[in-house]
Amino acid sequence: MAELRALVGVKRVIDYAVKIRVKPDKTGVVTDGVKHSMNPFCEIAVEEAVRLKEKKLVKEVIAVSCGPKQCQETLRTALAMGADRGIHVEVPESEAERLGPLQVSRVLTALAQKEKAGLVLLGKQAIDDDCNQTGQMTAAMLDWPQGTFASKLTLEGDKVTVEREIDGGLETIRLKLPAVVTADLRLNEPRYATLPNIMDYEAARALGGHESQPPSSPVCGPPAFACSSLPLYLQLVPIGTRTCFLSSSNHDFPS
Amino acid sequence: MLRLCGGRLAAQLGSLHGSLQKPACGSVRGVLSCIDPSLGLNDVQKEFQKVAFDFASREMAPQMAEWDQKELFPVETMRKAAQLGFGGIYVRSDVGGSELSRLDASVIFEALATGCTSTTAYISIHNMCVWMIDSFGNEEQRHKFCPPLCSMEKFASYCLTEPGSGSDAVSLMTSAKQQGDNYILNGSKAFISGGGESDIYIVMCRTGGPGPKGISCLVVEKGTPGLSFGKKEKKVGWNSQPTRAVILEDCAVPVANRIGNEGQGFLIAMKGLNGGRINVASCSLGAAHASVVLARDHLILRKQFGEPLANNQYLQFKLADMATRLVASRLMIRNAAVALQEEREDAVALCSMAKLFATDECFTICNQSLQMHGGYGYLKDYAVQQFVRDSRVHQILEGSNEVMRMLISRNLLQE
C-alpha cells in the first residue's frame, strides 16, 4: 500500500446560495452573520482525496485551512467527509483580509514539506475571489509538476495521469509525484457527511485528551506584495485527528 | 384571474420563474435571521442539520413536485437518505441505527421537510416503527428486523387505525387468536401509510379481552398468506407515499413476531406515537419554514402599485406574525423533544401540546404564504401549494388535534 500523504487545502467562503450584498462603504461584501461553507471546488478536492484513500492509493488525508477560528467549521466538514487530520493555520481576524493566494501558497508549501506530502490537492479556484492562483503558485514554490483544472485523476505507482479541462477541450498529462493537482467541477460528486461519520469525529473529540502545543515559529516571512510591511506570523494549530483532538496552549476550542 | 395582467404577464412570469420550484432552503442559508433554524443548536447538531438541508435541497426539492403529481414513492432517494443515517435516527447503533436523540431527529426531519414534506413524513413514520422494534423487541427480533429497516432495504408501516376505530384507538377489533406457534389475524386497518409498498407491518391487534390491556403488537411481513391490501387512496396531499387499507384474512403470524408481551401492545403503540407526534410536527415546521422563506422572497420580488409588496405594512406585519408563530412552534417542539428524551413526567402532555400547536400554526403559515403569492400561489408550478396540501393532514393523523386536547385536559384535570 502507498505511503502517499495527500494534503488538501480547504477554504471557508460565503455559501454559494447566498445573495451577496455590498457593504455601504463599498470596501467589500457583507460577511457578518452571512452563512459560510466550504468552497465547492475544495469539497471536490477533499472527495477525490478520500476516494484515493478508499482505493488504498493514499495513506493519509490531511486537510488544511488558513484563516480566523471559524475555519475550524470547514475543517470539521472535511473530517466528517473522511479526512484523517485537520490543520488550522490560524490568522487573526484583523490580518485575514490580507490573506491571499501568495500567502496561502507559502503556507501550503511549508506544510507540504513538513508533513512530507506527496500530493497536494486543491480546488481550482475559490468562489469568493476567483483567483485561480494558489495551486499554480504552490507548485512553483515547491518546484513540483502541476495538473490544474483536473476532471479526471488516475494514480498509478509514482505517476499521476490528469485529464484537464482547457479552453480547447481536454488535455491529458502525466505527472511524476510529488505533484500539485487542482480540482475542477467534473472531477467527482462530493459525498454528504454521514451521521455516523459526524458522530465518530465528535466522539473522538470528546474522548481525546487535550495536548498543548506551543505555537510554532513563523511559517513564512513577509508577504512580498502586502501593503503593510508587517510579517505575517502564523500559528499552526493541529485539530481533530480521528483518534484525538489537539489544541494549542493559546486557544480553547468550544466544547 | 390571470388574464387581467395582459401582456405583462409573460414578463412577470419570466422574472418569477426563478422562484418556480426553487429549493426553499437555498435561501435559508443566507443572512442570519430570526427564523434561522440553527439558532440555539450545538455544533454537532448544526452539522447534522447542514447535511439534512443539503440533502433536502439537492435530492428532494427538485423532485417534490414530480413525486406529488405522479404519486411516486421515492424509494431510491429514501435509501440514499438511509445511507446517511436517516433510516433509524434514534435507534441503537448495534442494529444499524444512528443512536441520536429525539431533538436531533426533530432537527433532521425539520430540515428534510423543506425538501419534501410528504416524503419526510413517511421517513419519520418508518423511523418510529424501527424504534418500536428496537425498544420493545427481544434481541432476536431486533437483529432480524432492524438492520434492513435502518438501511431502508425494507420499509415499515404502522397499523393502528381501523375503519371503525380512529380517535377511539382502544376499541380496535382486529383479532389475533393463538393457534400453536401462530396467531391467526382477522380484521382490517385503514389509512396505512406505505401500505402495499412496505415490507414490514407493525399491527396492533386484540389478543385478549376488551380495553387496552387486551392489545398486542405483531410484526407482519409482506407476502404472508392472508395479508392483502385495498386500493391506493387518492389524497389531497402526501402523494409521494401510498396509502392503502391493510386486510388480514386468517393471516398466520408466528408468535415469535410478537413485540413485547401480550397485552403490552397499546402501551407500545402510544409510546411510539409520542415520538411520532414530535416528528410529524417537525415536518410541519419544515413546510412552514420553507413557506415563510418563499413568501419573503416573493414579497421582495413582486411589484404592485409601483413598489415591491415588501413595502406594504400589512404584508410586513403579516410576515412578522408568520415568523413569530414559526419560532414559537419550533420552540414548543424542541422543548417537547428534550422532555421525551429525558423521560420527564410531562413528556406526553408536552408532545401533545407541541403537535397540536405546531401543526395548526404551521398549516396556517403555509396557507398565509400561499395567499401572499396571489394567483401564482394557486398554481402547481409553485411549491407553496404543495406545502399547504402536505401539511394539512398533520392536523388529523398521529392523533388528531382534538385527541391532543383530550390528552392535555386529562393531564390538567387529573391533578
Side-chain angles (χ1 to χ4, degrees), chain B residues 109-378:
Chain B
F109 291 133
E110 181 190 344
L112 290 177
T114 60
C116 178
T117 305
S118 161
T119 308
T120 307
Y122 175 75
I123 294 175
S124 76
I125 291 171
H126 176 95
N127 268 266
M128 176 174 75
C129 293
V130 194
W131 175 82
M132 284 160 72
I133 302 177
D134 176 47
S135 291
F136 297 100
N138 58 38
E139 286 309 304
E140 254 183 73
Q141 291 164 334
R142 287 179 71 236
H143 284 98
K144 178 179 174 191
F145 294 120
C146 292
L149 288 173
C150 287
S151 66
M152 284 193 164
E153 188 194 318
K154 295 195 172 169
F155 292 98
S157 286
Y158 175 89
C159 308
L160 174 66
T161 301
E162 296 182 356
S165 61
S167 294
D168 187 9
V170 167
S171 67
L172 66 85
M173 294 203 312
T174 299
S175 63
K177 296 198 168 37
Q178 187 161 1
Q179 257 181 39
D181 286 334
N182 290 335
Y183 285 108
I184 307 298
L185 268 64
N186 274 290
S188 64
K189 297 291 184 183
F191 299 131
I192 303 307
S193 302
E197 299 280 344
S198 291
D199 309 279
I200 300 281
Y201 295 84
I202 311 226
V203 178
M204 271 21 97
C205 48
R206 196 164 293 287
T207 47
K213 295 261 165 57
I215 296 173
S216 303
C217 176
L218 290 179
V219 172
V220 184
E221 296 175 73
K222 190 176 180 190
T224 307
L227 175 70
S228 62
F229 306 99
K231 75 175 195 340
K232 185 172 164 190
E233 308 286 7
K234 295 196 195 108
K235 309 190 294 288
V236 165
W238 270 35
N239 287 322
S240 70
Q241 31 166 317
T243 304
R244 290 189 173 91
V246 171
I247 301 159
L248 301 147
E249 292 168 299
D250 290 331
C251 180
V253 175
V255 173
N257 278 19
R258 190 189 68 225
I259 304 288
N261 298 326
E262 265 196 21
Q264 214 185 354
F266 198 68
L267 181 76
I268 295 173
M270 292 304 110
K271 291 212 161 187
L273 281 180
N274 285 331
R277 285 165 189 162
I278 291 178
N279 297 344
V280 101
S282 304
C283 294
S284 281
L285 205 53
H289 182 91
S291 301
V292 169
V293 172
L294 286 170
R296 177 181 147 269
D297 288 348
H298 183 79
L299 292 184
I300 291 173
L301 193 64
R302 172 76 171 176
K303 290 199 165 94
Q304 283 289 267
F305 306 111
E307 43 178 26
L309 296 186
N311 288 1
N312 182 299
Q313 192 181 59
Y314 174 77
L315 292 173
Q316 290 169 355
F317 282 12
K318 190 160 169 167
L319 191 68
D321 283 339
M322 285 158 65
T324 304
R325 283 155 203 272
L326 176 69
V327 175
S329 302
R330 184 176 289 145
L331 290 175
M332 284 222 60
I333 291 170
R334 291 184 179 178
N335 184 49
V338 171
L340 187 64
Q341 70 200 31
E342 290 177 357
E343 295 178 354
R344 285 195 344 226
E345 280 173 19
D346 56 343
V348 174
L350 279 181
C351 291
S352 307
M353 286 175 163
K355 195 261 183 189
L356 165 63
F357 187 82
T359 53
D360 278 348
E361 290 298 334
C362 290
F363 173 73
T364 307
I365 290 168
C366 294
N367 199 25
Q368 286 173 330
S369 172
L370 191 154
Q371 182 75 6
M372 285 176 164
H373 279 75
Y376 297 104
Y378 208 59

Side-chain angles (χ1 to χ4, degrees), chain B residues 45-115:
Chain B
Q45 287 163 335
K46 285 184 192 174
E47 277 294 320
F48 303 145
Q49 189 182 58
K50 184 167 161 305
V51 175
F53 266 122
D54 280 346
F55 189 83
S57 67
R58 287 187 221 161
E59 307 284 339
M60 296 171 87
Q63 299 177 76
M64 77 180 234
E66 193 190 357
W67 292 342
D68 172 65
Q69 284 168 35
K70 296 192 181 156
E71 297 188 14
L72 300 172
F73 189 50
V75 170
E76 284 319 308
T77 305
M78 287 195 286
R79 284 192 175 136
K80 272 193 208 171
Q83 271 171 25
L84 300 185
F86 296 153
I89 298 178
Y90 42 98
V91 165
R92 281 174 283 171
S93 51
D94 65 335
V95 287
S98 304
E99 208 160 324
L100 294 181
S101 71
R102 297 304 184 130
L103 177 58
D104 298 331
S106 168
V107 166
I108 290 169
F109 291 133
E110 181 190 344
L112 290 177
T114 60

Side-chain angles (χ1 to χ4, degrees), chain A residues 12 32 36 65 67-75 88 93:
Chain A
R12 179 175 180 267
D32 269 346
H36 283 65
S65 193
K69 75 166 167 23
Q70 295 97 316
C71 289
Q72 286 170 25
E73 288 164 19
T74 318
L75 283 169
H88 173 208
E93 196 93 45

Side-chain angles (χ1 to χ4, degrees), chain A residues 15 18 33 35 192-193 195 202, chain B residues 29-30 32 44 48 51 59 84:
Chain A
D15 188 276
V18 169
K35 212 74 172 195
Y192 298 101
L195 298 188
E202 284 306 316
Chain B
R29 306 161 81 198
L32 206 68
V44 187
F48 303 145
V51 175
E59 307 284 339
L84 300 185

